[in-house]
């Protein structure tokens, strides 16, 4: 029954109740005793009396006794060396762990592979050939296949089925080139102007960079009105030569700093990093841009866009926004410079150099090192950029100049350190008038660029190693070979519109002093300032001159006068330049901002093309440039400081058939005409004289 | 022998023919009017081409076969007439 079961369970449980065991002390009660907190003494009670006003509240706060030294006394513990126990035994556990390293090797299985194979064709021996040729099947083959072959050959003869008629049409012009619009007039390519640098300025001279594509340098000068307005006390605004690149038409890529306005500058034909400039104060300046030329080379479309992205973190960003400025490396000595502004400057070609008397001698280094400058102070001076041998022996002077300008040493290239402020010309040429007293006032000149007959490389004019101008030294003139066939005569255009033909070689006069010879010819063709005297790129004896209201073409050796003289135009002819690819074509810029294209073979009294309103003001400079066989540009600069680049159309740069030959004949014809005319003139004047004398009698 | 010579003469007399080569089915030249080096080069290369052309045509249509192959290039034209055991190669410059 459930009751008895429950009682059984109850009993079992009662029986199973564990009896408490006797407690054996293992020392734990001692630990507990130690842990217990027992009071060893009575709590201390302190009664304090605080002087205070009755019933005001009092506030107690904690104070650290360690904060102040005298608030407590302590007996600090210290380590007593008497009670040091040296540990002689310590328990360690060590386990030996086997180091496991996983390694693998592989044996190289050399597979035999053919390094070379030489084979020769299978051929039949002569007996086999004999057998085969007798073979019936060969005869059959020939018999059956020959008609097929003949049929095919005949087809070929009858008609060429594979000719492309469409393509064949284009063989007259360049095959494969088809442009929708072929224009035959100048097409504007780009306009360059900059608010900061070209505002209120006009361009006095422009040059294409000889090697870098799409880079043009212009010299900006103040307009005349501004010059008179500025009071002499004010420091003149620094003048610059600005480099523009095709990739950016409103920001210059590089600036050349000038002490004053530059009227003419030129790149050195041997090293396009060296530039010479003529200043309005008569000094000659030299720049070396080799450090900064990377800015010009980098200025290609695409790279400029990357630099102007403001989000990209570019370490060169600080330099990109500001145009780099190159200060001039050297300036000529003030005492020996021109006394009037330098209006034209040219490098002598690398084929010869001149001595102190103007004698042409060989140029051993084949580097252009000499410069000719002309100025309205009636002299033409020749300069040499090399260090003269005399200066090497005076190291003291050089050290002095070093101390004077310590700041500039790092920023200006030291290429022309030896010239700075002590540069003197080699010699000067004066232009005494032929018939009267006085001198001609030169503005522009042009001499023949002598080319050695042995020089073949006109393509590779720019060698990889650009000559280092700082290392060049003037050789002793006695050691150089004289060059007899260099033409030392040259044309000069003057302020009054005369064209003077003279020799730059000096002769010794009675007292032994060097003196210039009298010019050989002088013609007053232009009535006013001559602004261009340029040799034709195709004929070294043909010169184009513009000045006043007309232009003229001269032939060297023809003593009677110019070959071709244009009519007097309404507008002044302000600049002229020959085309670089067509011997008969040249460009004339006018006072009213128009550009005329002349073709002597087509019409010598009217321009071929007239582009009116190229600019609103007068055209100051014009220079053509050939970039590639299909890209010809013409840079036109005006009085407002704006530079325009035009693309010359194909009709104006592709020469017509035998153009060179035709031009030669044309000039010969004109020479004959001139001679004829002069002869007749002589006869007429003689006749007139006779008539007069008869009358008197 | 005579027939072969006659064949060659007939073809050679045509305008602009630069060379004739007779090659056997394995690509070994049998007769040629060109120098040895050119002959060997032409026969080896053209043999491969003919084999390829033939197999191409027969793959497309097994009933078909190559009868004539004309290779026109910028400078000249190569005509190949294949036969059972041999093939004839003629090089012609049509504009000459």
């Amino acid at each position: 029954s459930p009751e008895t079961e429950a009682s059984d369970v109850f009993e079992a449980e009662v029986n199973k109740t564990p009896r408490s065991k006797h407690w054996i002390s293992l020392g734990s009660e001692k630990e507990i005793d130690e842990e217990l907190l027992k009071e060893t003494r009575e709590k201390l009670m302190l009664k304090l009396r605080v002087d205070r006003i009755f019933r005001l509240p009092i506030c107690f706060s904690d104070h650290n006794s360690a904060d102040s030294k005298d608030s407590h006394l302590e007996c600090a513990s210290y380590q007593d060396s008497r009670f040091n126990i040296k540990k002689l035994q310590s328990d360690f556990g060590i386990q030996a762990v086997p180091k496991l390293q996983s390694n693998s090797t592989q044996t190289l299985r050399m597979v035999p592979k053919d390094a070379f194979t030489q084979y020769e064709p299978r051929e039949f021996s002569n007996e086999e050939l004999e057998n085969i040729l007798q073979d019936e099947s060969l005869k059959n083959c020939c018999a059956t296949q020959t008609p097929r072959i003949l049929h095919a050959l005949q087809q070929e003869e009858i008609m060429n089925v594979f000719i492309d008629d469409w393509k064949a049409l284009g063989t007259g012009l360049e095959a494969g080139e088809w442009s929708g619009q072929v224009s035959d007039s100048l097409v504007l390519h780009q306009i360059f102007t900059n608010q900061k640098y070209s505002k209120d300025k006009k361009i006095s001279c422009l040059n294409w960079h000889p090697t870098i594509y799409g880079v043009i340098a212009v010299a900006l000068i103040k307009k005349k009105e501004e010059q008179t307005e500025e009071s002499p006390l004010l420091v003149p605004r620094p003048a610059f030569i600005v480099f523009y690149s095709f990739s950016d038409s409103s920001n210059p890529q590089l600036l050349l700093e000038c002490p004053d306005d530059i009227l003419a500058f030129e790149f050195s034909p041997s090293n396009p990093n060296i530039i010479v400039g003529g200043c309005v104060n008569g000094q000659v300046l030299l720049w070396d841009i080799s450090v900064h030329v990377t800015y010009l080379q980098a200025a290609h479309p695409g790279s400029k866009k990357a630099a102007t992205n403001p989000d990209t973190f570019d370490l060169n960003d600080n330099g990109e926004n500001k145009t780099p400025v190159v200060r001039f490396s050297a300036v000529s000595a003030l005492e020996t410079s021109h006394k009037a502004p330098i209006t034209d400057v040219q490098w002598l070609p690398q084929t010869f150099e001149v001595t102190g008397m103007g004698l042409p001698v060989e140029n051993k280094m084949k580097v252009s090192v000499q410069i000719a400058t002309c100025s309205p102070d009636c002299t033409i001076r020749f300069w040499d950029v090399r260090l003269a041998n005399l200066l090497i022996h005076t190291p003291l002077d050089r050290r002095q100049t070093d101390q004077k300008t310590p700041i500039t040493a790092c920023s200006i290239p030291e290429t022309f350190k030896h010239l700075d402020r002590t540069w003197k010309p080699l010699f000067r040429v004066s232009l005494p008038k032929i018939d009267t007293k006085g001198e001609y006032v030169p503005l522009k000149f042009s001499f023949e660029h002598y080319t050695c007959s042995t020089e073949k490389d006109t393509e590779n004019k720019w060698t990889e190693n650009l000559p280092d101008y700082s290392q060049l030294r003037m050789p002793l003139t006695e050691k150089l070979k004289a060059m007899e066939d260099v033409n030392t005569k040259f044309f000069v255009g003057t302020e009054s519109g005369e064209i003077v033909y003279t020799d730059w070689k000096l002769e010794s006069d009675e007292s032994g002093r060097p003196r210039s010879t009298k010019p050989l010819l002088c013609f007053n063709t232009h009535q006013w300032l001559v602004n261009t005297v340029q040799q034709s790129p195709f004929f070294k004896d043909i010169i184009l001159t513009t000045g006043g209201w007309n232009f003229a073409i001269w032939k060297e050796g023809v003593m009677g006068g110019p070959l071709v003289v244009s009519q007097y135009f309404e507008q002044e002819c302000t600049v002229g330049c020959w085309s670089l690819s067509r011997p008969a074509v040249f460009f004339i810029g006018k006072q009213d901002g128009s550009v005329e294209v002349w073709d002597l073979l087509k019409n010598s009294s009217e321009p071929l093309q007239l582009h009116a309103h190229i600019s609103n003001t007068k055209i100051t400079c014009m220079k053509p440039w050939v970039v590639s066989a299909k890209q010809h540009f013409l840079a036109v600069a005006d009085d407002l400081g704006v530079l325009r680049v035009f693309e010359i159309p194909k009709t104006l740069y592709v020469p017509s058939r035998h153009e060179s030959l035709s031009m030669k004949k044309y000039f010969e014809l004109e020479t004959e005409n001139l001679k004829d005319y002069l002869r007749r003139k002589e006869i007429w004047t003689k006749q007139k004289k006779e008539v007069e004398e008869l009358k008197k009698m | 022998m005579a027939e072969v010579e006659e064949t060659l003469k007939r073809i050679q007399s045509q305008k602009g023919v630069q060379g004739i080569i007779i090659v056997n089915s394995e690509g070994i030249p049998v007769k040629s009017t060109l120098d040895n080096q050119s002959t060997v080069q032409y026969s080896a290369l053209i043999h491969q081409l003919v084999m390829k052309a033939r197999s191409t045509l027969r793959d497309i249509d097994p009933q078909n076969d190559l009868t004539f192959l004309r290779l026109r290039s910028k400078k000249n034209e190569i005509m190949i007439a294949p036969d059972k055991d041999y093939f004839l190669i003629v090089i012609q410059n049509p504009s000459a």
Side-chain angles (χ1 to χ4, degrees):
Chain A
S1 68
E3 284 164 334
T4 47
E5 274 180 40
S7 59
D8 280 349
V9 170
F10 189 66
E11 266 184 323
E13 275 184 40
V14 167
N15 287 338
K16 288 235 172 92
T17 313
R19 229 181 297 141
S20 60
K21 290 190 189 129
H22 193 66
W23 183 66
I24 308 165
S25 163
L26 289 170
S28 56
E29 74 266 25
K30 279 193 214 140
E31 285 175 20
I32 292 170
D33 278 339
E34 277 170 21
E35 291 299 314
L36 277 177
L37 194 64
K38 287 188 207 120
E39 285 182 359
T40 45
R41 57 169 169 80
E42 261 192 11
K43 288 198 178 70
L44 289 174
M45 188 176 79
L46 295 171
K47 252 190 189 169
L48 300 168
R49 185 168 163 169
V50 178
D51 268 331
R52 65 168 174 92
I53 303 171
F54 191 57
R55 276 197 175 233
L56 269 180
I58 194 163
C59 159
F60 288 104
S61 65
D62 288 331
H63 173 76
N64 197 348
S65 66
D67 281 342
S68 46
K69 270 194 278 187
D70 22 326
S71 62
H72 68 281
L73 275 173
E74 66 171 350
C75 206
S77 64
Y78 61 95
Q79 190 167 38
D80 195 342
S81 56
R82 290 176 292 175
F83 298 102
N84 228 342
I85 304 169
K86 196 162 147 194
K87 205 167 184 184
L88 289 172
Q89 197 177 357
S90 64
D91 282 327
F92 265 92
I94 298 181
Q95 179 180 8
V97 178
K99 261 198 189 159
L100 275 177
Q101 200 177 35
S102 195
N103 220 329
S104 69
T105 61
Q106 180 163 9
T107 53
L108 278 174
R109 202 161 69 105
M110 305 287 242
V111 177
K113 195 175 69 168
D114 285 337
F116 301 100
T117 316
Q118 184 167 0
Y119 46 87
E120 60 176 47
R122 275 163 50 189
E123 280 179 344
F124 286 127
S125 64
N126 283 334
E127 299 89 43
E128 283 176 321
L129 272 176
E130 292 280 340
N131 284 340
I132 289 175
L133 286 171
Q134 302 291 346
D135 198 9
E136 223 18 75
S137 63
L138 180 61
K139 289 180 195 160
N140 281 340
C141 161
C142 287
T144 46
Q145 296 307 323
T146 310
R148 281 216 180 101
I149 293 267
L150 289 173
H151 180 72
L153 285 168
Q154 198 168 43
Q155 273 183 342
E156 208 67 53
E157 230 180 286
I158 295 169
M159 190 181 118
N160 185 1
V161 288
F162 298 101
I163 190 166
D164 186 353
D165 293 314
W166 185 247
K167 256 196 174 164
L169 266 181
T171 48
L173 320 154
E174 267 121 49
E177 193 216 74
W178 174 250
S179 55
Q181 292 167 320
V182 179
S183 78
D184 58 350
S185 73
L186 296 173
V187 175
L188 182 60
H189 180 77
Q190 261 187 310
I191 301 184
F192 297 95
T193 179
N194 179 269
Q195 264 302 93
K196 189 167 164 201
Y197 296 106
S198 55
K199 186 168 174 247
D200 295 333
K201 294 226 173 165
K202 60 180 186 171
I203 295 178
S204 58
C205 180
L206 86 89
N207 266 307
W208 290 83
H209 194 283
T211 47
I212 305 176
Y213 163 80
V215 174
I216 312 168
V218 290
L220 293 158
I221 62 169
K222 296 184 274 289
K223 295 204 178 154
K224 279 241 168 70
E225 302 84 51
E226 240 192 76
Q227 283 175 336
T228 51
E229 273 173 29
E230 262 185 57
S231 76
L233 296 167
L234 282 173
V235 176
R237 257 199 305 168
F240 289 106
I241 292 181
V242 173
F243 279 72
Y244 286 113
S245 163
F246 276 6
S247 59
D248 189 342
S249 56
S250 47
N251 291 317
Q253 302 305 311
L254 187 65
L255 297 170
L256 299 184
E257 196 186 309
C258 329
D260 210 344
D261 287 343
I262 296 285
L263 292 178
F265 70 95
E266 283 279 326
F267 287 93
S268 160
S270 313
N271 184 343
N273 292 332
I274 308 290
I275 303 159
V276 67
C279 199
V280 288
N281 58 11
Q283 287 180 302
V284 185
L285 302 159
L286 280 170
W287 287 272
D288 182 354
I289 59 166
S290 24
V291 174
H292 303 274
V293 76
T294 44
Y295 284 107
L296 294 174
Q297 285 165 338
H300 278 299
S303 71
K304 197 68 178 133
K305 287 179 198 147
T308 52
N309 185 354
D311 294 331
T312 57
F313 177 71
D314 191 1
L315 286 168
N316 296 327
D317 221 14
N318 296 330
E320 288 291 356
N321 296 329
K322 233 176 62 108
T323 324
V325 179
V326 183
R327 224 178 110 80
F328 46 92
S329 281
V331 64
S332 58
L334 204 50
E335 319 82 52
T336 51
S337 298
H338 285 278
K339 307 286 176 284
I342 295 180
T343 50
D344 201 0
V345 74
Q346 285 193 32
W347 288 89
L348 259 64
Q350 54 206 33
T351 44
F352 69 95
E353 53 179 78
V354 289
T355 64
M357 286 290 286
L359 286 162
V361 290
E362 62 167 332
N363 184 335
K364 281 224 164 111
M365 306 295 296
K366 290 284 178 277
V367 174
S368 278
V369 286
Q370 295 182 332
I371 303 159
T373 59
C374 89
S375 161
D377 69 349
C378 309
T379 59
I380 295 171
R381 288 172 210 232
F382 281 75
W383 311 73
D384 194 310
V385 304
R386 295 172 295 188
L387 183 62
N389 280 320
L390 318 152
L391 288 177
I392 297 175
H393 298 300
T394 57
L396 287 166
D397 287 330
R398 280 166 90 196
R399 250 188 278 132
Q400 271 182 353
T401 49
D402 279 352
Q403 281 171 357
K404 264 189 236 165
T405 57
I407 321 151
T408 54
C410 46
S411 53
I412 302 179
E414 312 224 328
T415 333
F416 299 108
K417 207 69 192 287
H418 51 274
L419 294 173
D420 202 12
R421 296 198 204 111
T422 57
W423 197 13
K424 286 201 293 253
L426 275 179
F427 64 96
R428 30 184 187 153
V429 179
S430 57
L431 305 165
K433 287 208 175 153
I434 298 177
D435 304 317
T436 59
K437 270 210 173 135
E439 292 182 312
Y440 295 112
V441 184
L443 285 183
K444 298 272 175 194
F445 65 96
S446 157
F447 54 82
E448 188 186 306
H449 280 245
Y450 175 74
T451 45
C452 251
S453 51
T454 53
E455 261 179 43
K456 284 174 281 177
D457 51 342
T458 42
E459 295 297 321
N460 298 331
K461 233 168 64 139
W462 310 105
T463 53
E464 290 84 36
N465 306 322
L466 295 171
D468 186 1
Y469 273 77
S470 55
Q471 300 302 317
L472 297 171
R473 299 280 177 268
M474 268 200 269
L476 296 165
T477 44
E478 301 83 52
K479 293 195 177 159
L480 294 171
K481 193 172 61 161
M483 296 178 92
E484 300 295 333
D485 48 346
V486 173
N487 186 4
T488 56
K489 302 190 191 57
F490 61 115
F491 284 88
V492 181
T494 70
E495 207 175 50
S496 347
E498 297 135 331
I499 302 293
V500 178
Y501 183 57
T502 184
D503 193 330
W504 77 56
K505 278 206 296 269
L506 300 176
E507 58 182 21
S508 300
D509 63 0
E510 305 84 43
S511 50
R513 280 215 327 252
R515 175 189 76 160
S516 290
T517 54
K518 279 221 169 190
L520 300 153
L521 293 173
C522 170
F523 293 98
N524 195 334
T525 324
H526 312 284
Q527 305 304 322
W528 210 37
L529 312 162
V530 172
N531 43 51
T532 307
V533 178
Q534 195 191 21
Q535 186 189 21
S536 165
F538 297 91
F539 306 104
K540 53 183 191 183
D541 52 355
I542 301 291
I543 315 277
L544 168 72
T545 59
T546 60
W549 289 266
N550 62 355
F551 65 82
I553 296 181
W554 307 74
K555 189 173 159 101
E556 206 170 334
V558 171
M559 303 292 178
L563 282 189
V564 177
V565 181
S566 76
Q567 45 164 303
Y568 284 101
F569 298 107
E570 240 180 63
Q571 297 288 329
E572 268 178 66
C573 295
T574 50
V575 69
C577 64
W578 287 100
S579 155
L580 292 176
S581 52
R582 287 192 65 183
V585 172
F586 54 92
F587 304 91
I588 302 283
K590 291 271 172 77
Q591 174 81 18
D592 62 353
S594 57
V595 171
E596 291 175 357
V597 182
W598 287 73
D599 183 342
L600 282 176
L601 289 174
K602 293 234 169 84
N603 192 335
S604 58
S605 53
E606 253 182 22
L608 180 69
Q609 286 177 12
L610 167 63
H611 299 270
H613 315 300
I614 295 267
S615 159
N616 296 332
T617 60
K618 81 170 182 194
I619 308 282
T620 51
C621 313
M622 234 177 4
K623 276 227 170 94
W625 194 247
V626 179
V627 172
S628 67
K630 300 224 178 103
Q631 267 197 316
H632 291 236
F633 291 111
L634 179 70
V636 181
D638 67 7
D639 224 12
L640 286 174
V642 178
L643 173 68
R644 291 177 178 81
V645 174
F646 291 88
E647 254 190 71
I648 302 180
K650 212 201 294 200
T651 51
L652 289 179
Y653 68 72
V654 172
S656 51
R657 278 209 185 171
H658 313 302
E659 191 163 320
S660 201
L661 220 72
S662 310
M663 276 316 282
K664 248 195 179 152
K665 286 202 193 121
Y666 175 86
F667 287 130
E668 280 165 15
L669 204 71
E670 288 298 324
T671 317
E672 287 301 316
N673 284 346
L674 185 67
K675 280 198 193 133
D676 229 9
Y677 169 72
L678 289 171
R679 221 178 327 122
R680 267 182 280 153
K681 203 167 154 194
E682 231 185 277
I683 294 172
W684 283 337
T685 44
K686 240 198 320 191
Q687 280 180 345
K688 233 176 133 184
K689 263 196 186 154
E690 282 171 4
V691 165
E692 300 250 305
E693 281 183 8
L694 278 171
K695 272 198 185 160
K696 277 190 194 163
M697 285 179 355
Chain B
M1 186 75 163
E3 284 98 344
V4 176
E5 290 291 341
E6 199 208 304
T7 310
L8 290 186
K9 251 207 288 210
R10 267 172 79 189
I11 299 175
Q12 190 83 29
S13 64
Q14 292 291 320
K15 190 173 88 140
V17 172
Q18 286 175 337
I20 312 165
I21 308 170
I22 305 178
V23 189
N24 84 338
S25 53
E26 287 178 322
I28 308 171
V30 171
K31 192 103 177 96
S32 165
T33 61
L34 299 171
D35 58 288
N36 195 25
Q37 193 199 354
S38 315
T39 302
V40 162
Q41 197 174 23
Y42 267 108
S43 28
L45 294 166
I46 290 176
H47 172 250
Q48 287 176 34
L49 184 65
V50 169
M51 289 300 117
K52 193 67 177 178
R54 190 177 264 154
S55 68
T56 305
L57 284 178
R58 305 224 25 191
D59 269 351
I60 293 168
D61 181 2
Q63 311 269 321
N64 209 349
D65 197 6
L66 182 67
T67 54
F68 201 80
L69 190 59
R70 241 168 149 165
L71 209 60
R72 196 178 173 84
S73 77
K74 268 200 275 194
K75 294 183 185 173
N76 48 22
E77 183 162 343
I78 303 171
M79 284 168 261
I80 305 145
D83 190 59
K84 199 155 56 76
D85 305 311
Y86 303 90
F87 47 95
L88 216 67
I89 304 168
V90 176
I91 303 146
Q92 185 208 25
N93 188 354
S95 50

